[in-house]
Amino acid sequence: MDIKKRRTMKKIGIIGATGSIGTQAIEVIRKFKNLYKIEFLVSYSNYKKLFEIAKEFNVKKVGIIREDIEIKNEDFIIYKGKDEILSLIEDIDLLFVSTTGTFSIFPVLKAIEKNINIALANKEVLVSFGKIVNEKLKTSNSIIIPVDSEHSAIFQLINPYKNEFIRIILTASGGPFLNFSVEEMENVSVEMALNHPTWKMGKKITIDSATLFNKSLEIIEAYYLFGTKNIDVVIHPQSIVHSFVQLKDGSLLAHLGFPDMRIPIAYALSYPNRLETPSVITHPYDFDKLTFLKPDFEKFPSLKIGYFCLENLSYYPTIMNASNEIAVYSFLEGKIKFRDIFKVVEETFNRIEKEKLKDETLEDLLYVDNLSRTIANFIVSEISKKR
Ligand code: MG
């Protein structure tokens, strides 16, 4: 490869390379190997898959977030744990962040500090620490390009109209239990909840889509990305319209396409340019009837909590995100029932001693995150004892 060609390649690092989104990002990059140079790859613990990808793309530096795993491999330079992984974030054009959980805030802040653009698939980072992230962005040239499909749609629609839009309308598929009664939802199995009607995603987000907590998290994500509290949610079971932006002249802009995460992933990788789609080209003839319904706040109290968080911000979204995560994994492990997820989050809000909480620094919010998890775990053990 000649030097000129190498210079035009985008240098990227991927945190969370082996998960659902990370794997699809690799798939996109595989199609455009001439455009991207992967500098490093990081995974939470799946080093076998990580080594495979690293070998394929000739990547020398690999990171494992979990520090307690013994790994030996002469072919790679292995970075273990937070500090070593953060040291990788230098001299790249784009950091792709697709890990789940709290860890992701650290690479995001490091990238902002280094003026590196971020393709962000982890919405929890903005939900829990959006205030800190936005504060840091003010003194940086970094841009966050959302990978979440709704936010990618809004990002694409809103850019020319930053001062002329009046509302964001997020679409939600409604999940597998959209037409279930509250009683019918009472005894749904993990398997049923994991069976999403339109999107193929990781387990945590699939459960979040079934409870609609995913949409509540996305309301907060949208607030921190686009700076408005005028955010509506509309149920759109076909998942063809990925979101709307309403302009002050009455225009309603929409972004349409088949539900395929490789499209927003490709956009985040190529922004501000476009790649030829790795997906199918859609035509309006391809779509069946498109429907838009009002969400049921009684059946899905998650949305009430989401709007409460939007209204009050501060540490409330952090509490929602942390307690929901504990509740979801407890449900997946069979410790609580599906609708107990709502109970765990509501009860965490009730029990946490808000007068002791602060939201000024990252440490304050990490404390809230941690405390919420402890309380949520306690509530889970109470519920499972009663069963
Ligand atoms: Mg989404």
Side-chain angles (χ1 to χ4, degrees):
M1 185 185 302
D2 62 52
I3 291 168
K4 200 176 158 216
K5 197 170 177 191
R6 198 180 301 160
R7 273 203 195 122
T8 60
M9 288 173 93
K10 210 180 229 183
K11 290 194 282 182
I12 67 170
I14 305 180
I15 309 257
T18 59
S20 166
I21 297 289
T23 305
Q24 293 179 75
I26 296 292
E27 204 188 313
V28 173
I29 294 168
R30 189 175 285 126
K31 291 205 161 141
F32 300 99
K33 272 185 171 166
N34 57 329
L35 298 178
Y36 299 96
K37 166 92 180 79
I38 305 177
E39 293 290 327
F40 60 84
L41 292 158
V42 175
S43 165
Y44 178 68
S45 60
N46 190 351
Y47 59 89
K48 282 185 187 145
K49 190 169 174 188
L50 195 69
F51 290 159
E52 263 171 45
I53 306 166
K55 210 172 156 195
E56 181 191 345
F57 289 87
N58 200 17
V59 180
K60 283 279 159 259
K61 300 173 186 174
V62 295
I64 295 288
I65 296 169
R66 257 181 73 174
E67 278 175 272
D68 57 336
I69 306 177
E70 273 304 317
I71 315 162
K72 279 209 178 80
N73 193 313
E74 307 281 295
D75 298 338
F76 308 106
I77 312 167
I78 298 167
Y79 294 71
K80 265 165 79 177
K82 187 178 106 186
D83 292 341
E84 288 186 22
I85 287 169
L86 292 186
S87 74
L88 285 165
I89 305 167
E90 292 277 350
D91 193 32
I92 50 171
D93 302 306
L94 183 74
L95 183 70
F96 194 95
V97 180
S98 51
T99 37
T100 54
T102 310
F103 173 83
S104 305
I105 183 61
F106 301 105
V108 165
L109 292 180
K110 176 75 188 278
I112 296 174
E113 204 175 282
K114 296 281 171 187
N115 295 307
I116 295 164
N117 286 351
I118 302 158
L120 187 60
N122 174 316
K123 69 192 79 183
E124 290 89 343
V125 164
L126 287 176
V127 174
S128 290
F129 310 108
K131 183 180 165 177
I132 308 295
V133 169
N134 278 356
E135 204 53 50
K136 242 191 151 152
L137 279 170
K138 283 184 197 161
T139 56
S140 168
N141 296 321
S142 299
I143 297 169
I144 292 183
I145 308 129
V147 174
D148 207 346
S149 60
E150 297 81 354
H151 304 71
S152 173
I154 296 161
F155 185 90
Q156 294 172 58
L157 296 169
I158 215 169
N159 261 338
Y161 306 110
K162 287 217 171 102
N163 300 312
E164 283 138 323
F165 78 92
I166 53 169
R167 192 185 311 278
I168 283 170
I169 303 169
L170 294 171
T171 49
S173 73
F177 308 133
L178 178 63
N179 299 315
F180 279 45
S181 67
V182 170
E183 293 71 35
E184 284 170 325
M185 254 202 262
E186 217 47 75
N187 288 309
V188 297
S189 65
V190 171
E191 206 188 356
M192 286 162 85
L194 285 177
N195 188 18
H196 195 274
T198 49
W199 290 98
K200 219 179 145 22
M201 309 173 287
K203 280 185 182 178
K204 159 76 168 52
I205 185 172
T206 305
I207 301 300
D208 284 343
S209 299
T211 59
L212 291 199
F213 262 118
N214 185 48
K215 217 43 61 178
S216 288
L217 299 173
E218 289 184 352
I219 291 170
I220 306 299
E221 182 187 12
Y223 168 76
Y224 283 117
L225 283 169
F226 307 113
T228 180
K229 284 193 174 184
N230 287 328
I231 304 170
D232 277 1
V233 170
V234 59
I235 303 291
H236 171 47
Q238 299 83 12
S239 301
I240 296 296
V241 176
H242 299 311
S243 275
F244 297 97
V245 171
Q246 203 162 44
L247 304 183
K248 65 181 181 186
D249 65 0
S251 301
L252 192 55
L253 310 182
H255 181 286
L256 286 77
F258 278 133
D260 183 338
M261 280 310 294
R262 291 173 304 173
I263 297 173
I265 287 169
Y267 180 74
L269 286 169
S270 62
Y271 173 83
N273 305 310
R274 300 261 177 182
L275 297 173
E276 267 172 51
T277 183
S279 179
V280 285
I281 300 273
T282 48
H283 188 284
Y285 292 148
D286 301 330
F287 307 138
D288 284 335
K289 197 169 77 177
L290 303 182
T291 48
F292 302 96
L293 314 158
K294 276 190 183 162
D296 185 336
F297 282 63
E298 298 309 316
K299 212 154 85 177
F300 297 101
S302 40
L303 288 176
K304 279 190 201 169
I305 298 172
Y307 276 105
F308 174 84
C309 288
L310 178 68
E311 197 47 51
N312 295 283
L313 293 173
S314 179
Y315 41 69
Y316 288 103
T318 318
I319 301 173
M320 170 171 70
N321 177 57
S323 57
N324 175 57
E325 196 175 309
I326 295 297
V328 170
Y329 285 111
S330 302
F331 169 68
L332 285 170
E333 288 164 18
K335 291 181 189 164
I336 58 171
K337 288 185 179 186
F338 181 74
R339 284 189 63 85
D340 288 335
I341 297 172
F342 302 129
K343 245 182 257 170
V344 171
V345 178
E346 276 166 7
E347 266 303 292
T348 306
F349 270 83
N350 291 339
R351 291 194 202 178
I352 200 161
E353 289 182 81
K354 291 159 204 87
E355 40 304 320
K356 287 185 186 164
L357 305 178
K358 286 186 286 182
D359 69 344
E360 290 310 309
T361 64
L362 177 61
E363 285 67 35
D364 293 338
L365 291 174
L366 284 169
Y367 174 78
V368 173
D369 178 87
N370 206 11
L371 184 63
S372 307
R373 285 168 200 273
T374 307
I375 295 170
N377 267 318
F378 186 77
I379 296 162
V380 166
S381 65
E382 281 181 353
I383 295 174
S384 45
K385 259 184 227 154
K386 273 188 215 154
R387 284 175 69 188

PDB file of all heavy atoms in Angstrom, residues 43-48 64-72 78 80:
ATOM      1  N   SER A  43     -12.418  -5.570  23.910  1.00  0.00           N
ATOM      2  CA  SER A  43     -13.622  -6.335  24.243  1.00  0.00           C
ATOM      3  C   SER A  43     -13.710  -6.450  25.764  1.00  0.00           C
ATOM      4  O   SER A  43     -12.705  -6.273  26.462  1.00  0.00           O
ATOM      5  CB  SER A  43     -13.528  -7.721  23.598  1.00  0.00           C
ATOM      6  OG  SER A  43     -14.468  -8.593  24.167  1.00  0.00           O
ATOM      7  N   TYR A  44     -14.884  -6.755  26.262  1.00  0.00           N
ATOM      8  CA  TYR A  44     -15.019  -6.909  27.711  1.00  0.00           C
ATOM      9  C   TYR A  44     -14.249  -8.143  28.185  1.00  0.00           C
ATOM     10  O   TYR A  44     -13.395  -8.043  29.054  1.00  0.00           O
ATOM     11  CB  TYR A  44     -16.497  -6.988  28.107  1.00  0.00           C
ATOM     12  CG  TYR A  44     -16.689  -7.201  29.584  1.00  0.00           C
ATOM     13  CD1 TYR A  44     -16.346  -6.206  30.493  1.00  0.00           C
ATOM     14  CD2 TYR A  44     -17.195  -8.409  30.071  1.00  0.00           C
ATOM     15  CE1 TYR A  44     -16.495  -6.409  31.860  1.00  0.00           C
ATOM     16  CE2 TYR A  44     -17.350  -8.611  31.431  1.00  0.00           C
ATOM     17  CZ  TYR A  44     -16.999  -7.606  32.319  1.00  0.00           C
ATOM     18  OH  TYR A  44     -17.134  -7.823  33.674  1.00  0.00           O
ATOM     19  N   SER A  45     -14.530  -9.301  27.588  1.00  0.00           N
ATOM     20  CA  SER A  45     -13.837 -10.516  28.041  1.00  0.00           C
ATOM     21  C   SER A  45     -13.619 -11.560  26.936  1.00  0.00           C
ATOM     22  O   SER A  45     -12.824 -12.471  27.103  1.00  0.00           O
ATOM     23  CB  SER A  45     -14.629 -11.167  29.187  1.00  0.00           C
ATOM     24  OG  SER A  45     -15.927 -11.515  28.743  1.00  0.00           O
ATOM     25  N   ASN A  46     -14.290 -11.399  25.811  1.00  0.00           N
ATOM     26  CA  ASN A  46     -14.245 -12.422  24.763  1.00  0.00           C
ATOM     27  C   ASN A  46     -12.971 -12.295  23.917  1.00  0.00           C
ATOM     28  O   ASN A  46     -12.989 -11.841  22.781  1.00  0.00           O
ATOM     29  CB  ASN A  46     -15.500 -12.273  23.882  1.00  0.00           C
ATOM     30  CG  ASN A  46     -15.676 -13.432  22.918  1.00  0.00           C
ATOM     31  OD1 ASN A  46     -14.787 -14.268  22.775  1.00  0.00           O
ATOM     32  ND2 ASN A  46     -16.817 -13.459  22.250  1.00  0.00           N
ATOM     33  N   TYR A  47     -11.844 -12.744  24.500  1.00  0.00           N
ATOM     34  CA  TYR A  47     -10.566 -12.518  23.810  1.00  0.00           C
ATOM     35  C   TYR A  47     -10.380 -13.428  22.596  1.00  0.00           C
ATOM     36  O   TYR A  47      -9.665 -13.091  21.673  1.00  0.00           O
ATOM     37  CB  TYR A  47      -9.383 -12.608  24.778  1.00  0.00           C
ATOM     38  CG  TYR A  47      -9.234 -13.918  25.504  1.00  0.00           C
ATOM     39  CD1 TYR A  47      -8.500 -14.958  24.971  1.00  0.00           C
ATOM     40  CD2 TYR A  47      -9.826 -14.110  26.749  1.00  0.00           C
ATOM     41  CE1 TYR A  47      -8.366 -16.150  25.637  1.00  0.00           C
ATOM     42  CE2 TYR A  47      -9.704 -15.311  27.429  1.00  0.00           C
ATOM     43  CZ  TYR A  47      -8.973 -16.327  26.862  1.00  0.00           C
ATOM     44  OH  TYR A  47      -8.842 -17.511  27.529  1.00  0.00           O
ATOM     45  N   LYS A  48     -11.037 -14.603  22.633  1.00  0.00           N
ATOM     46  CA  LYS A  48     -10.869 -15.510  21.483  1.00  0.00           C
ATOM     47  C   LYS A  48     -11.392 -14.855  20.199  1.00  0.00           C
ATOM     48  O   LYS A  48     -10.720 -14.838  19.178  1.00  0.00           O
ATOM     49  CB  LYS A  48     -11.601 -16.830  21.740  1.00  0.00           C
ATOM     50  CG  LYS A  48     -10.807 -17.713  22.683  1.00  0.00           C
ATOM     51  CD  LYS A  48     -11.434 -19.076  22.866  1.00  0.00           C
ATOM     52  CE  LYS A  48     -10.673 -19.823  23.964  1.00  0.00           C
ATOM     53  NZ  LYS A  48     -11.552 -20.668  24.763  1.00  0.00           N
ATOM     54  N   ILE A  64      -8.511  -5.907  26.790  1.00  0.00           N
ATOM     55  CA  ILE A  64      -9.547  -6.671  27.495  1.00  0.00           C
ATOM     56  C   ILE A  64      -9.912  -5.870  28.748  1.00  0.00           C
ATOM     57  O   ILE A  64      -9.031  -5.529  29.554  1.00  0.00           O
ATOM     58  CB  ILE A  64      -9.018  -8.071  27.897  1.00  0.00           C
ATOM     59  CG1 ILE A  64      -8.723  -8.911  26.657  1.00  0.00           C
ATOM     60  CG2 ILE A  64     -10.003  -8.786  28.817  1.00  0.00           C
ATOM     61  CD1 ILE A  64      -9.931  -9.399  25.899  1.00  0.00           C
ATOM     62  N   ILE A  65     -11.186  -5.527  28.865  1.00  0.00           N
ATOM     63  CA  ILE A  65     -11.601  -4.682  29.992  1.00  0.00           C
ATOM     64  C   ILE A  65     -11.450  -5.434  31.317  1.00  0.00           C
ATOM     65  O   ILE A  65     -10.986  -4.879  32.311  1.00  0.00           O
ATOM     66  CB  ILE A  65     -13.049  -4.185  29.777  1.00  0.00           C
ATOM     67  CG1 ILE A  65     -13.114  -3.284  28.526  1.00  0.00           C
ATOM     68  CG2 ILE A  65     -13.550  -3.419  31.014  1.00  0.00           C
ATOM     69  CD1 ILE A  65     -14.524  -2.948  28.045  1.00  0.00           C
ATOM     70  N   ARG A  66     -11.836  -6.705  31.339  1.00  0.00           N
ATOM     71  CA  ARG A  66     -11.719  -7.489  32.581  1.00  0.00           C
ATOM     72  C   ARG A  66     -10.264  -7.768  32.884  1.00  0.00           C
ATOM     73  O   ARG A  66      -9.521  -8.290  32.055  1.00  0.00           O
ATOM     74  CB  ARG A  66     -12.485  -8.807  32.444  1.00  0.00           C
ATOM     75  CG  ARG A  66     -13.804  -8.756  33.181  1.00  0.00           C
ATOM     76  CD  ARG A  66     -14.532 -10.047  33.053  1.00  0.00           C
ATOM     77  NE  ARG A  66     -13.905 -11.089  33.876  1.00  0.00           N
ATOM     78  CZ  ARG A  66     -14.445 -12.298  34.026  1.00  0.00           C
ATOM     79  NH1 ARG A  66     -15.567 -12.598  33.447  1.00  0.00           N
ATOM     80  NH2 ARG A  66     -13.834 -13.193  34.785  1.00  0.00           N
ATOM     81  N   GLU A  67      -9.853  -7.422  34.122  1.00  0.00           N
ATOM     82  CA  GLU A  67      -8.440  -7.538  34.455  1.00  0.00           C
ATOM     83  C   GLU A  67      -8.039  -8.915  34.960  1.00  0.00           C
ATOM     84  O   GLU A  67      -6.873  -9.270  34.973  1.00  0.00           O
ATOM     85  CB  GLU A  67      -8.084  -6.489  35.521  1.00  0.00           C
ATOM     86  CG  GLU A  67      -7.838  -5.130  34.918  1.00  0.00           C
ATOM     87  CD  GLU A  67      -7.605  -4.071  35.963  1.00  0.00           C
ATOM     88  OE1 GLU A  67      -8.594  -3.477  36.437  1.00  0.00           O
ATOM     89  OE2 GLU A  67      -6.440  -3.840  36.302  1.00  0.00           O
ATOM     90  N   ASP A  68      -9.055  -9.690  35.387  1.00  0.00           N
ATOM     91  CA  ASP A  68      -8.728 -10.944  36.081  1.00  0.00           C
ATOM     92  C   ASP A  68      -8.611 -12.158  35.156  1.00  0.00           C
ATOM     93  O   ASP A  68      -8.572 -13.279  35.617  1.00  0.00           O
ATOM     94  CB  ASP A  68      -9.794 -11.216  37.152  1.00  0.00           C
ATOM     95  CG  ASP A  68     -11.205 -11.287  36.548  1.00  0.00           C
ATOM     96  OD1 ASP A  68     -11.411 -10.694  35.475  1.00  0.00           O
ATOM     97  OD2 ASP A  68     -12.077 -11.937  37.139  1.00  0.00           O
ATOM     98  N   ILE A  69      -8.548 -11.914  33.839  1.00  0.00           N
ATOM     99  CA  ILE A  69      -8.428 -13.059  32.928  1.00  0.00           C
ATOM    100  C   ILE A  69      -6.958 -13.246  32.529  1.00  0.00           C
ATOM    101  O   ILE A  69      -6.289 -12.287  32.158  1.00  0.00           O
ATOM    102  CB  ILE A  69      -9.272 -12.835  31.641  1.00  0.00           C
ATOM    103  CG1 ILE A  69     -10.718 -12.510  32.020  1.00  0.00           C
ATOM    104  CG2 ILE A  69      -9.226 -14.050  30.733  1.00  0.00           C
ATOM    105  CD1 ILE A  69     -11.586 -12.201  30.817  1.00  0.00           C
ATOM    106  N   GLU A  70      -6.493 -14.462  32.629  1.00  0.00           N
ATOM    107  CA  GLU A  70      -5.121 -14.779  32.218  1.00  0.00           C
ATOM    108  C   GLU A  70      -5.090 -14.990  30.701  1.00  0.00           C
ATOM    109  O   GLU A  70      -5.760 -15.881  30.181  1.00  0.00           O
ATOM    110  CB  GLU A  70      -4.651 -16.063  32.911  1.00  0.00           C
ATOM    111  CG  GLU A  70      -4.033 -15.846  34.283  1.00  0.00           C
ATOM    112  CD  GLU A  70      -2.872 -14.865  34.279  1.00  0.00           C
ATOM    113  OE1 GLU A  70      -2.022 -14.944  33.364  1.00  0.00           O
ATOM    114  OE2 GLU A  70      -2.834 -13.989  35.177  1.00  0.00           O
ATOM    115  N   ILE A  71      -4.367 -14.143  30.001  1.00  0.00           N
ATOM    116  CA  ILE A  71      -4.281 -14.326  28.553  1.00  0.00           C
ATOM    117  C   ILE A  71      -2.814 -14.271  28.138  1.00  0.00           C
ATOM    118  O   ILE A  71      -2.077 -13.370  28.551  1.00  0.00           O
ATOM    119  CB  ILE A  71      -5.004 -13.190  27.780  1.00  0.00           C
ATOM    120  CG1 ILE A  71      -6.369 -12.904  28.408  1.00  0.00           C
ATOM    121  CG2 ILE A  71      -5.143 -13.545  26.308  1.00  0.00           C
ATOM    122  CD1 ILE A  71      -6.940 -11.571  28.000  1.00  0.00           C
ATOM    123  N   LYS A  72      -2.436 -15.210  27.319  1.00  0.00           N
ATOM    124  CA  LYS A  72      -1.084 -15.141  26.744  1.00  0.00           C
ATOM    125  C   LYS A  72      -1.211 -15.316  25.240  1.00  0.00           C
ATOM    126  O   LYS A  72      -1.836 -16.255  24.764  1.00  0.00           O
ATOM    127  CB  LYS A  72      -0.203 -16.243  27.329  1.00  0.00           C
ATOM    128  CG  LYS A  72       0.372 -15.899  28.683  1.00  0.00           C
ATOM    129  CD  LYS A  72       1.714 -16.603  28.918  1.00  0.00           C
ATOM    130  CE  LYS A  72       2.310 -16.218  30.266  1.00  0.00           C
ATOM    131  NZ  LYS A  72       1.714 -16.967  31.379  1.00  0.00           N
ATOM    132  N   ILE A  78      -1.153  -6.870  24.421  1.00  0.00           N
ATOM    133  CA  ILE A  78      -2.422  -6.942  25.145  1.00  0.00           C
ATOM    134  C   ILE A  78      -2.497  -5.860  26.234  1.00  0.00           C
ATOM    135  O   ILE A  78      -1.580  -5.708  27.049  1.00  0.00           O
ATOM    136  CB  ILE A  78      -2.627  -8.345  25.749  1.00  0.00           C
ATOM    137  CG1 ILE A  78      -2.689  -9.373  24.609  1.00  0.00           C
ATOM    138  CG2 ILE A  78      -3.918  -8.401  26.571  1.00  0.00           C
ATOM    139  CD1 ILE A  78      -2.569 -10.811  25.048  1.00  0.00           C
ATOM    140  N   LYS A  80      -4.710  -4.511  29.385  1.00  0.00           N
ATOM    141  CA  LYS A  80      -5.744  -5.004  30.287  1.00  0.00           C
ATOM    142  C   LYS A  80      -6.194  -3.948  31.289  1.00  0.00           C
ATOM    143  O   LYS A  80      -5.382  -3.226  31.858  1.00  0.00           O
ATOM    144  CB  LYS A  80      -5.228  -6.246  31.032  1.00  0.00           C
ATOM    145  CG  LYS A  80      -5.663  -7.533  30.326  1.00  0.00           C
ATOM    146  CD  LYS A  80      -4.913  -8.736  30.798  1.00  0.00           C
ATOM    147  CE  LYS A  80      -5.426  -9.256  32.117  1.00  0.00           C
ATOM    148  NZ  LYS A  80      -4.729 -10.480  32.542  1.00  0.00           N
TER     149      LYS A  80
END
